[in-house]
Amino acid sequence: MVFTKIQVSLLQSKADSGDVTAQLELAEIYRTGKGVASSISKALRYYIMAARQNSPAALYFLADCQDRGVGTPADPSSAFQNYLKAAKLGHTEACLAVGHFFEVVS
């Protein structure tokens, strides 16, 4: 689905007011470029907002970016902490990432 400027504007208003669903939707819109210019920095802005509210999906995406240095400097320690938070909240891929960290460090 491609989003219009009006839809994006409405989502931004909701996201800026703390709506986690809108934050995640906007993050995906900017990550994929559906209706807007693709922007990892804008995607990260909304993922960070949602991660602060303990969204497992947002924590996982943020950790993945920190792990790989995409849109933010690589920071394995912060990546691990965010993967761990997401895993504790039941995010399956985050559980696998935590296991990978233990495998690599051990």
Side-chain angles (χ1 to χ4, degrees):
M1 176 178 188
V2 175
F3 292 85
T4 67
K5 288 183 181 184
I6 293 172
Q7 289 170 312
V8 171
S9 179
L10 289 172
L11 282 172
Q12 286 171 331
S13 178
K14 287 181 178 181
D16 291 341
S17 296
D19 184 320
V20 174
T21 302
Q23 292 165 352
L24 291 171
E25 196 165 348
L26 271 174
E28 282 298 304
I29 289 169
Y30 282 113
R31 186 180 67 78
T32 60
K34 292 184 179 178
V36 298
S38 179
S39 171
I40 192 66
S41 63
K42 287 183 181 179
L44 274 170
R45 175 178 179 243
Y46 290 105
Y47 277 122
I48 289 168
M49 290 172 129
R52 288 184 178 144
Q53 297 186 66
N54 291 319
S55 162
L59 286 161
Y60 175 79
F61 185 83
L62 177 58
D64 187 56
C65 288
Q66 292 167 326
D67 193 18
R68 297 183 299 124
V70 174
T72 185
D75 184 349
S77 178
S78 292
F80 176 77
Q81 291 304 314
N82 285 317
Y83 280 136
L84 188 58
K85 285 180 193 174
K88 287 180 178 180
L89 293 168
H91 194 281
T92 304
E93 292 163 306
C95 292
L96 295 171
V98 169
H100 177 73
F101 265 81
F102 281 117
E103 181 180 353
V104 171
V105 173
S106 298

